Amino acid sequence: MELTVLGQSQTEASAGGCASSGCGSNDDQLNHLPEHIRAKVHNHPCYSEEAHHHYARMHVAVAPACNIQCHYCNRKYDCSNESRPGVVSELLTPDQAVKKVMTVAANIPQMTVLGIAGPGDPLANPERTFDTFRQLTEKAPDIKLCVSTNGLALPELVDELCKHNIDHVTMTINCVDPDIGAQIYPWIFWKNRRVYGRKGAEILIKQQQKGLQMLVDRGILVKVNSVMIPGVNDKHLEEVSKAVKAKGAFLHNVMPLIAEAEHGTFYGVMGQRGPTHDELQELQDACSGDMNMMRHCRQCRADAVGMLGEDRGDEFTMDKIEAVDVDYAAAMVKRAEVHAAIEATLAAKVKAKVETQNLASLQTAFVSLSSLTLPKKESRPVLMAIATSGGGIINQHFGHAREFLIYEANAHDVRFISHRKTDLYCSGDDTCGDGESVLQKTINALKGCEVVLCSKIGYEPWGMLEEAGIMPNGEHALEAIEDAVAAVYKEMGEKGLLDKKPETKQRATA
């Protein structure tokens, strides 16, 4: 895949970029970026797959209104039990948001990014959004500022965004064809009136493409989010990926439709299904030929706090932090120390990996010279599920995992594919083993995986995983994920397990 670097032509960018479908998403690939681009993304958990293991983010809910209606969206303003975009526990004023950001940053020093993502559209609430950004630029200068938008109001506000040192913008673009857009957006609010159907979608698409070009021209990194809706835009998103790449977008995030009926969305109530794991990966792989893909998105709430995959928002509600005094100057010193330690760890990891790769290259060259007459046997890829609580290592009990990271290993490398959410099977030592139905749902969620790597696992899930054709493995606790996956893949090859793909035994989810 070719990397489009802002400020360069596509040809110039590809000459200095990388060819991997995960380009721009891990430590190796970040090293190929120009320094000014790498500096923007290396510690941004949404723009760098490696960073999301080590750095945290937060969103503040200061933007209640929205200027379009999406069939997959139902905004909620006092909801604590749903994990999806457009949902918050409490709306904040700009002053409250700034207070919350500074409190979180002092208590979670790994937090590097503050985003405004709703619950409506930030640019449909420009006064509240920019008041928040103005204050944070002055009071918390060490935090990256981001905004997420549908793009309808973007062209008129690009210059205002640039005034606040915002160098990351996420835009949701689900189509570039207004006929498809009419199936996703029933109406937009444009120039003080509602515009329906195809005409509304046409205006939205025009504004999105104009705004995207304006951001790129000003050197702002743009991540494009697209919701994959089977039967609506799933066959069209490859065209979207090509279009946004041509405009200079940095990253494309193809997300699955969340369509549970209990969320109250139009699609959910009407029975529109979301994509399967295989359908999503197939589309992401197809788009990755034309665009850098983000595969680690968690489709966060509009008030999410913490590492991707966790939400610590309940720790920082306004009633808990209103009276808290924050010495942010001292907090900045502590944050700088924590960030420096993380960077040192990552640098050591990169150095060790380079040394390992150099050694492997020498060994491969030697083997090639000594066996020129032997045919080369290509091993098949294998999916492995990882239980981790962060840090890029295997450090979580199988029963404590609320999600699993999915990696693919092949004869050449290891790459991150996706994450899969599950229900909590074990909530403590006294209850582990009491959740048979939950356990079966977890096993169903791991369909296609042949190995599960975790720090510990109980007898019962071990047996059920084996019965489903998935090998449990607790031998690589506290090891780096990619190293462990590569080691297990090598072991599988030595045992002849890569010669034939095992039959899938998992039961289908009801």
Side-chain angles (χ1 to χ4, degrees):
M1 182 194 66
E2 200 177 84
L3 175 63
T4 303
V5 178
L6 305 184
Q8 297 178 322
S9 69
Q10 291 183 32
T11 302
E12 292 170 330
S14 63
C18 60
S20 167
S21 63
C23 188
S25 66
N26 66 36
D27 54 322
D28 290 336
Q29 292 148 348
L30 289 182
N31 289 334
H32 291 81
L33 296 176
E35 179 57 33
H36 70 288
I37 299 292
R38 198 184 78 84
K40 290 183 178 182
V41 303
H42 80 283
N43 63 352
H44 194 308
C46 299
Y47 280 67
S48 164
E49 192 274 320
E50 179 65 33
H52 101 278
H53 294 297
H54 305 277
Y55 293 103
R57 75 344 183 183
M58 72 174 293
H59 298 162
V60 289
V62 298
C66 197
N67 50 7
I68 70 174
Q69 179 61 54
C70 308
H71 277 324
Y72 54 76
C73 181
N74 180 26
R75 295 185 301 281
K76 295 184 180 180
Y77 305 107
D78 58 355
C79 178
S80 61
N81 61 357
E82 293 183 17
S83 182
R84 60 181 178 87
V87 172
V88 299
S89 296
E90 55 185 356
L91 287 171
L92 305 178
T93 66
D95 290 345
Q96 289 174 323
V98 171
K99 171 73 172 179
K100 183 174 181 177
V101 171
M102 296 177 72
T103 303
V104 170
N107 286 274
I108 306 179
Q110 299 91 337
M111 196 272 279
T112 55
V113 176
L114 176 282
I116 300 179
D121 188 272
L123 301 188
N125 304 260
E127 295 83 5
R128 297 169 64 94
T129 295
F130 290 118
D131 187 8
T132 305
F133 283 145
R134 272 191 293 272
Q135 293 191 53
L136 287 172
T137 299
E138 176 185 347
K139 297 178 180 179
D142 62 331
I143 296 176
K144 295 179 185 291
L145 303 179
C146 302
V147 66
S148 296
T149 178
N150 58 47
L152 181 61
L154 178 60
E156 290 70 35
L157 294 170
V158 166
D159 290 336
E160 185 68 22
L161 282 171
C162 293
K163 292 178 183 178
H164 303 289
N165 299 320
I166 296 168
D167 50 17
H168 301 80
V169 171
T170 294
M171 193 186 322
T172 299
I173 300 178
N174 293 314
C175 60
V176 291
D177 181 339
D179 289 323
I180 293 175
Q183 301 175 58
I184 302 172
Y185 310 107
W187 56 262
I188 68 170
F189 192 74
W190 177 247
K191 296 186 176 179
N192 298 315
R193 65 187 181 91
R194 287 189 180 185
V195 182
Y196 295 86
R198 189 184 191 281
K199 186 175 181 180
E202 191 172 19
I203 293 170
L204 175 62
I205 292 168
K206 182 178 179 181
Q207 288 290 100
Q208 289 173 336
Q209 296 300 308
K210 180 180 179 181
L212 172 56
Q213 188 66 65
M214 292 175 71
L215 290 172
V216 171
D217 290 344
R218 288 158 175 77
I220 295 175
L221 297 184
V222 181
K223 174 169 69 72
V224 172
N225 286 351
S226 298
V227 180
M228 180 184 180
I229 311 165
V232 178
N233 70 345
D234 51 334
K235 306 300 182 184
H236 174 63
L237 285 179
E238 287 185 61
E239 183 179 345
V240 172
S241 199
K242 293 176 182 177
V244 299
K245 178 187 178 180
K247 281 284 195 293
F250 179 76
L251 197 61
H252 194 189
N253 174 27
V254 178
M255 309 178 294
L257 172 71
I258 299 174
E260 284 75 10
E262 59 267 26
H263 294 158
T265 67
F266 176 84
Y267 278 147
V269 172
M270 297 304 293
Q272 169 67 51
R273 73 173 181 88
T276 66
H277 298 304
D278 289 344
E279 288 171 338
L280 179 63
Q281 183 182 334
E282 182 179 350
L283 178 59
Q284 289 175 333
D285 287 345
C287 291
S288 69
D290 291 295
M291 188 63 194
N292 316 314
M293 295 304 298
M294 176 185 183
R295 299 176 187 262
H296 59 282
C297 176
R298 300 306 198 272
Q299 294 175 277
C300 303
R301 291 167 56 98
D303 58 1
V305 175
M307 307 286 285
L308 267 66
E310 72 172 359
D311 189 358
R312 297 176 58 182
D314 287 346
E315 301 175 34
F316 300 98
T317 55
M318 288 310 301
D319 62 308
K320 296 176 181 176
I321 69 172
E322 199 74 67
V324 175
D325 290 326
V326 176
D327 183 348
Y328 199 74
M332 286 179 64
V333 173
K334 178 181 178 182
R335 285 164 52 75
E337 293 172 351
V338 170
H339 295 180
I342 293 173
E343 291 304 310
T345 298
L346 294 176
K349 178 180 176 182
V350 170
K351 181 180 178 181
K353 194 165 188 176
V354 169
E355 292 174 351
T356 300
Q357 289 173 338
N358 289 340
L359 178 60
S361 296
L362 290 173
Q363 292 172 335
T364 300
F366 176 78
V367 170
S368 298
L369 289 171
S370 62
S371 56
L372 292 176
T373 60
L374 296 177
K376 183 179 179 181
K377 185 176 181 180
E378 189 69 23
S379 299
R380 63 180 179 82
V382 172
L383 293 183
M384 302 188 196
I386 313 300
T388 176
S389 58
I393 60 177
I394 300 167
N395 58 359
Q396 194 168 42
H397 190 297
F398 175 85
H400 297 168
R402 291 186 180 273
E403 69 171 8
F404 290 86
L405 304 188
I406 309 301
Y407 281 76
E408 181 187 79
N410 59 45
H412 307 289
D413 63 8
V414 172
R415 66 169 182 150
F416 175 79
I417 294 293
S418 65
H419 70 97
R420 299 186 187 177
K421 294 182 179 180
T422 62
D423 291 327
L424 190 65
Y425 164 65
C426 173
S427 57
D429 291 340
D430 295 334
T431 60
C432 293
D434 294 337
E436 288 83 3
S437 61
V438 174
L439 176 56
Q440 187 56 55
K441 289 180 182 178
T442 298
I443 293 174
N444 288 337
L446 300 181
K447 181 179 179 181
C449 298
E450 297 181 41
V451 179
V452 171
L453 293 169
C454 53
S455 61
K456 289 182 67 176
I457 184 170
Y459 289 112
E460 183 175 7
W462 184 292
M464 291 184 68
L465 284 166
E466 284 191 329
E467 184 181 345
I470 303 174
M471 294 187 296
N473 188 315
E475 298 177 4
H476 295 272
L478 302 182
E479 292 184 17
I481 292 173
E482 292 187 5
D483 293 345
V485 170
V488 171
Y489 186 81
K490 181 180 178 182
E491 293 169 9
M492 292 177 69
E494 292 170 348
K495 295 177 180 178
L497 298 177
L498 301 178
D499 297 337
K500 181 181 179 181
K501 187 172 183 178
E503 296 181 7
T504 300
K505 299 178 183 180
Q506 290 100 320
R507 288 180 286 177
T509 304

